[in-house]
Amino acid sequence: MILNRRDFFKVVASSAGLVLALDTRTAGVNKGSRAKGADVRTFAPNAWVRIGSNDEIVIIVDKSEMGQGVLTALPMLVAEELEADWDRLRVEQAPTASVYINPALGAEATGGSSSVRSSYLPLRTAGAAARLMLLEAAHRLTGVAHTRLRAERGAVLLPDGQRFLYGALAQAAAQLPVPRDVRLKSPRHFHIIGKPLPRLDTPEKTTGSAVFGIDVQKPGLLIGVVRRSAVLGGRLRDYDERAARAMAGVVRITRVDGGLGVIAVDTWTAWKALDAIPLRWEEGDGARASTRAIREEYRQAAATEGAIAERRGDARAAILRAPRVIEANYEIPFAAHAPLEPMNCTAHLHDGVCEIWAPTQAQTGAQETAAHLTGLPLDRVVVHTTLLGGGFGRRLEHDFVADAVTLARTVPNPVKVVWSREEDMTHDFYRPYSYHKVQGALDPRGTPIAWRQTIVAASLMRTRDPAAVKNGVDPTAVGGAVDMPYDIPNIEIGYVERDTKVPVGFWRSVADSYTAFVKESFVDELAHAASRDPLVLRRDLLASDLDQRRVLWAAARAIGWGRRRPPGCGLGVAVHKSFGTSMAQAASVRIRSGQLHIDRLVCVCDCGLVVNPNIARAQIEGAIAFALQAALKGPITVEDGRIQQRNFDNYQLLRIDEMPRIDIRLLKNARAPQGLGEPAVPPVAPALANAIFAASGIRVRELPFPAVLDHA
Amino acid sequence: MRMVINGIDREVRSSPDTPLLWVIRDEWGLTGTKYGCGIGVCGACTVHLDAAPIRSCAVPIGSLAGRRVTTIEGLSPDGQHPVQKAWVAEDVPQCGYCQSGQIMSAAALLARRPHPTNRDIDTAMSGNLCRCGTYARIRRAIRRAGKDAHDPQPS
Ligand code: FES
Ligand code: FES
């Protein structure tokens, strides 16, 4: 069936019942009750603001809500300049459209701690432009001079006290040209931005009514499940479907990329059927992969010449001449994203359209994947973004979207594909394993004069965008090691690319999650080698980065740096800048019979202007928990080509009884907002490692920390 | 067989080996109860069986004939259970995926112990994983709910 454009929009509109929306008036879910009817005129000056003549004010959010609070923080940016009434808004998730392309990522996508940063000016401008047009409409309607009109809480106020609700002006405003030069408010006049407003999505997330990808329901919905080779890169050779075919409720058995999919009437039936199918695999050479072999290979690779990622002065010569050289190797393991909602996606092919409901961080990628698989043009693929039960970078991939589209192509019904936890855990795109060889040279007074580091890690960009790998350096593998903030005259950072069979991806804070561990641990080692206070040495070396110096100093003071500690207790600090944000961690630990107890963590953050301190604090709390998990637990390991961790019993997440006391300080800074979802991750592990050293004299150079800390 | 789900007596069609979780989600369409691990270790699927919190992914339906099950949807008629109110007041959820399970575990704890100690909280809640790290707020919300609910209703 061929649809013309208008029919197409009808099809899409008819499925709009599932549009993700929140309403501040009812403080809760309000799905699909879009204002309709012939008599409602809509004023839509841009892609983020829609005002109906019935006074329904809609703000559109073009980033995925994965817990970081964009459904609240982004509307705050629009509402501030629009002078909207915060208590009378509707917030909707954007569809796929080129205007929603994230300039920081070049696609409609959510990542890189970029949501607020990249939206700060465009969304304020969108709100301000709409306000100016409403004011102009009021001026034309009443003849009152612009200077005597005021926009406030969703209405234009006249000097005589008369109020025109925005809705009443919508039709007139819609006739006006969109202004080009829009003056934005001075931050001094903000009354929404900067407030610790409660999240709009909290009420529905406490009643069970919030709809995540896995909760999508459609008439005639079928459930799809998949199984792939336990061996990395292995492929399905053949299978015997006879027993499963005979089972009631089984609808289809069909191959998906590399593995097998089953469609059934419900989840349990589908899994039982999958279990009843003997599968034979082509294991391929992935079967030889093991953590031990990777470690050995990386160790050797660290001694080879890397591609130069950064060079200042001549580190090699300085090391040869220096009176004192310190050398150490660091090792950071693979890590899983493990969002609590496993990978899933719903797809429905109908009327020449492929509709997708996905908890995705990458709408453009999802759309392209579906277009490629179905042969449909891009504009016939509609992606509806649901809530995401965690993302952390995992949902930038499209493998789960491909599964849903592949299975949905075989039936007329919508199909929801749900991965088991085991599939999710063993087919992640893991944080790359990395090995680091570091040398530091001290002059006779104990001042660091050279730093040479070789980083061995797989490349994220090699398979995604090989052109991004320049002169042998993948910037996503060395971020946080290059642009060394410490004033050391001779620096060389080398990169040795060693790809393994283990798929790798963007894991909350990416390379900074390991480079900060090395940088902040090794600068501590240099301080101790030079018998200098690690805090004071850092301060001296940060002469040209006053932001980092400031957060570091504040964190050290808050933890009580310099005070005498009882035996077995120690303090550690670490500071790191990533995604534009300077973040310092200070840790206070105790070690008793080899067991680590974290008494307290202090985090001091300078992320520029804070749009919503309530959400900002939650992001930092969450990032710290994420980093603690990777420092204390895990890791992901491989043997005979198989990921050894399959579920939360042997890949443990942080539990509530392991969450230490955390004090967070957000420093005031008027500069534009910077990233916040990721920057609190990198400094956590090194602050703890440094505190462990202070408490015990044990230098931990591997993550996760050993279960027992002793001087073995 | 029949069961009472959120106060309503219902027929169950799923086969007896089906875990309660999938009956709740797929057969009854109550999607507030989540799947996280399927092996009883993450707590996302927590519901009340009579008054006790259980991991619904680990209990086959066949053993439950005639029993009463309460899911997050049935915890209160209007989302105003003291625990839900405290959750809103402390703005606990991030992604929110674990939160139905967290709330069901917290409600069961408070029904048993209206004024839990920190240790009670850690013990009762340590089987509910939150990947987003909302634990500090969960602790605060439970203490708040304990304070606010003079007469906590067992659900
Ligand atoms: S899904 Fe039941 S405990 Fe994890
Ligand atoms: S809020 Fe995301 S898993 Fe708990």
Side-chain angles (χ1 to χ4, degrees):
Chain A
M1 169 164 143
I2 296 181
L3 294 181
N4 63 34
R5 249 197 119 66
R6 195 189 302 140
D7 290 337
F8 171 72
F9 282 110
K10 251 193 256 159
V11 168
V12 174
S14 70
S15 63
L18 250 170
V19 74
L20 169 56
L22 297 163
D23 203 310
T24 64
R25 287 164 297 193
T26 54
V29 226
N30 185 354
K31 289 180 182 65
S33 68
R34 278 186 174 174
K36 283 200 193 96
D39 48 344
V40 176
R41 301 295 174 87
T42 301
F43 166 47
N46 51 58
W48 297 277
V49 180
R50 220 169 54 221
I51 300 176
S53 57
N54 57 353
D55 207 39
E56 179 170 78
I57 301 186
V58 181
I59 296 179
I60 290 139
V61 170
D62 59 9
K63 300 289 181 293
S64 305
E65 178 59 71
M66 46 190 177
Q68 84 285 40
V70 287
L71 283 180
T72 306
L74 298 187
M76 287 172 73
L77 299 175
V78 180
E80 177 71 63
E81 299 280 352
L82 177 59
E83 298 294 357
D85 183 348
W86 183 252
D87 300 321
R88 287 193 303 123
L89 287 178
R90 184 176 157 81
V91 173
E92 275 184 21
Q93 186 77 46
T96 28
S98 56
V99 7
Y100 299 123
I101 286 175
N102 183 340
L105 304 174
E108 197 179 342
T110 307
S113 292
S114 68
S115 294
V116 166
R117 273 194 290 171
S118 67
S119 304
Y120 184 60
L121 291 178
L123 288 194
R124 286 173 61 207
T125 305
R131 184 195 72 230
L132 289 176
M133 293 167 77
L134 292 159
L135 282 165
E136 176 68 22
H139 161 70
R140 294 198 184 178
L141 209 70
T142 61
V144 176
H146 282 101
T147 50
R148 308 188 61 206
L149 294 172
R150 201 149 51 93
E152 196 184 282
R153 286 182 70 91
V156 174
L157 255 68
L158 271 51
D160 63 2
Q162 254 196 96
R163 287 178 86 224
F164 283 86
L165 289 176
Y166 282 175
L169 300 166
Q171 191 173 351
Q175 315 303 317
L176 300 172
V178 178
R180 278 178 192 230
D181 291 320
V182 176
R183 266 261 291 286
L184 298 178
K185 277 186 179 177
S186 154
R188 270 178 303 142
H189 298 129
F190 286 166
H191 54 93
I192 294 177
I193 295 176
K195 281 238 179 84
L197 294 179
R199 296 174 61 123
L200 300 178
D201 54 350
T202 291
E204 64 167 15
K205 286 178 176 177
T206 61
T207 59
S209 55
V211 175
F212 297 85
I214 202 169
D215 303 326
V216 166
Q217 287 177 318
K218 308 287 301 167
L221 182 74
L222 297 172
I223 304 292
V225 298
V226 296
R227 186 161 293 162
R228 294 195 158 77
S229 168
V231 172
L232 298 164
R235 303 193 67 83
L236 182 63
R237 190 191 308 158
D238 51 45
Y239 58 99
D240 179 352
E241 62 174 52
R242 278 168 300 183
R245 270 243 145 278
M247 292 168 67
V250 174
V251 178
R252 281 271 185 293
I253 298 168
T254 181
R255 285 176 186 264
V256 296
D257 182 35
L260 191 70
V262 170
I263 302 176
V265 291
D266 61 51
T267 317
W268 189 245
T269 304
W271 274 340
K272 275 204 294 189
L274 196 48
D275 282 340
I277 302 174
L279 303 165
R280 293 207 300 160
W281 303 98
E282 208 76 72
E283 292 192 344
D285 55 359
R288 287 201 302 274
S290 75
T291 300
R292 191 160 349 118
I294 294 170
R295 170 183 291 171
E296 201 39 52
E297 186 194 344
Y298 274 35
R299 227 172 247 173
Q300 287 170 18
T304 66
E305 284 287 310
I308 300 298
E310 178 160 71
R311 181 181 270 157
R312 270 185 236 165
D314 188 344
R316 299 181 194 209
I319 286 167
L320 279 177
R321 282 198 314 266
R324 229 165 137 207
V325 177
I326 323 296
E327 203 175 306
N329 299 318
Y330 286 82
E331 202 177 320
I332 297 98
F334 293 114
H337 295 86
L340 207 57
E341 179 190 25
M343 294 305 107
N344 68 85
C345 178
T346 302
H348 189 196
L349 280 91
H350 63 96
D351 307 294
V353 174
C354 177
E355 264 196 288
I356 290 169
W357 294 264
T360 176
Q361 291 178 247
Q363 286 77 6
T364 304
Q367 198 178 29
E368 285 169 353
T369 298
H372 175 76
L373 286 169
T374 55
L376 288 168
L378 275 182
D379 65 356
R380 299 270 148 160
V381 178
V382 184
V383 179
H384 307 275
T385 307
T386 64
L387 290 174
L388 284 62
F392 318 118
R394 176 62 178 93
R395 291 187 155 101
L396 288 165
E397 313 295 339
H398 330 115
D399 46 351
F400 52 97
V401 176
D403 282 350
V405 174
T406 304
L407 292 187
R409 288 187 73 187
T410 66
V411 288
N413 308 49
V415 177
K416 174 164 72 185
V417 168
V418 177
W419 286 20
S420 67
R421 174 56 59 192
E422 288 80 5
E423 283 298 312
D424 188 283
M425 189 76 81
T426 55
H427 294 93
D428 196 351
F429 292 82
Y430 306 89
R431 184 265 304 271
Y433 180 89
S434 67
Y435 191 89
H436 306 254
K437 180 181 156 85
V438 210
Q439 291 173 298
L442 301 171
D443 75 4
R445 288 196 321 271
T447 302
I449 50 165
W451 179 296
R452 187 175 171 205
Q453 178 176 359
T454 304
I455 302 170
V456 187
S459 161
L460 301 185
M461 299 315 282
R462 178 65 62 199
T463 51
R464 293 172 171 83
D465 177 12
V469 184
K470 293 218 171 70
N471 303 319
V473 178
D474 180 340
T476 68
V478 299
V482 296
D483 297 326
M484 164 75 76
Y486 293 128
D487 276 333
I488 297 173
N490 302 291
I491 288 179
E492 185 180 312
I493 310 288
Y495 171 57
V496 181
E497 180 182 338
R498 280 287 182 281
D499 296 314
T500 72
K501 293 284 170 199
V502 181
V504 289
F506 298 89
W507 185 90
R508 198 173 190 173
S509 82
V510 199
D512 294 81
S513 76
Y514 53 77
T515 56
F517 177 63
V518 177
K519 170 171 73 67
E520 288 302 298
S521 297
F522 194 64
V523 80
D524 233 64
E525 294 204 52
L526 293 179
H528 289 291
S531 302
R532 298 188 55 182
D533 180 304
L535 175 68
V536 175
L537 177 68
R538 281 186 178 81
R539 183 200 58 189
D540 293 351
L541 293 176
L542 284 173
S544 49
D545 193 330
L546 299 181
D547 287 347
Q548 287 202 58
R549 206 191 232 194
R550 202 160 68 113
V551 291
L552 173 67
W553 208 251
R557 188 189 299 201
I559 203 86
W561 190 264
R563 238 179 271 150
R564 252 195 175 324
R565 315 291 306 167
C569 296
L571 302 180
V573 289
V575 63
H576 191 71
K577 183 175 185 173
S578 59
F579 308 94
T581 290
S582 295
M583 203 62 94
Q585 285 282 350
S588 169
V589 309
R590 246 176 320 138
I591 297 168
R592 292 279 144 79
S593 344
Q595 296 299 304
L596 173 68
H597 299 270
I598 305 171
D599 288 325
R600 190 175 162 223
L601 292 175
V602 172
C603 178
V604 180
C605 163
D606 177 354
C607 60
L609 186 136
V610 178
V611 172
N612 184 322
N614 166 40
I615 296 175
R617 285 171 183 281
Q619 278 301 284
I620 293 174
E621 290 161 17
I624 291 174
F626 199 83
L628 282 174
Q629 189 275 340
L632 304 175
K633 303 186 158 204
I636 288 288
T637 55
V638 194
E639 223 168 288
D640 301 328
R642 293 164 170 84
I643 300 292
Q644 296 298 292
Q645 293 71 29
R646 297 175 50 78
N647 206 321
F648 294 131
D649 52 348
N650 57 6
Y651 190 77
Q652 297 201 356
L653 302 186
L654 200 76
R655 297 187 314 257
I656 193 168
D657 54 313
E658 297 167 316
M659 186 78 170
R661 173 177 160 202
I662 299 173
D663 296 313
I664 296 168
R665 266 188 69 198
L666 307 170
L667 295 191
K668 286 223 175 335
N669 188 333
R671 124 191 110 95
Q674 302 296 312
L676 203 54
E678 298 168 272
V681 173
V684 172
L688 283 170
N690 296 337
I692 290 170
F693 182 79
S696 65
I698 297 169
R699 176 55 65 182
V700 181
R701 298 191 185 89
E702 253 181 64
L703 294 179
F705 301 146
V708 179
L709 292 160
D710 59 24
H711 290 269
Chain B
M1 62 178 264
R2 303 189 74 82
M3 285 180 65
V4 180
I5 174 80
N6 295 334
I8 299 166
D9 186 42
R10 295 185 73 151
E11 172 76 35
V12 181
R13 291 187 315 271
S14 303
S15 65
D17 63 332
T18 310
L20 174 59
L21 170 65
W22 297 111
V23 180
I24 292 172
R25 288 184 57 87
D26 286 353
E27 187 177 332
W28 296 333
L30 297 170
T31 55
T33 306
K34 303 301 189 211
Y35 164 68
C37 68
I39 57 168
V41 298
C42 79
C45 65
T46 306
V47 299
H48 296 174
L49 183 63
D50 302 322
I54 58 153
R55 311 291 182 228
S56 63
C57 69
V59 183
I61 194 81
S63 60
L64 299 179
R67 304 288 295 272
R68 306 177 68 90
V69 171
T70 307
T71 70
I72 184 76
E73 291 88 350
L75 184 63
S76 69
D78 49 3
Q80 297 295 309
H81 186 282
V83 171
Q84 289 169 315
K85 286 208 281 205
W87 242 247
V88 171
E90 296 292 347
D91 226 359
V92 174
Q94 289 187 32
C95 85
Y97 194 76
C98 71
Q99 299 295 340
S100 299
Q102 305 279 3
I103 289 169
M104 295 309 280
S105 288
L109 164 68
L110 287 166
R112 225 169 9 146
R113 265 180 203 273
H115 301 287
T117 63
N118 287 345
R119 184 178 294 251
D120 292 337
I121 294 176
D122 278 5
T123 308
M125 302 302 292
S126 66
N128 285 87
L129 303 178
C130 175
R131 184 54 159 159
C132 300
T134 62
Y135 296 131
R137 293 182 189 218
I138 289 174
R139 284 194 190 124
R140 284 210 298 271
I142 292 177
R143 282 198 294 267
R144 176 191 281 264
K147 245 184 267 146
D148 290 356
H150 302 296
D151 178 26
Q153 303 287 316
S155 53

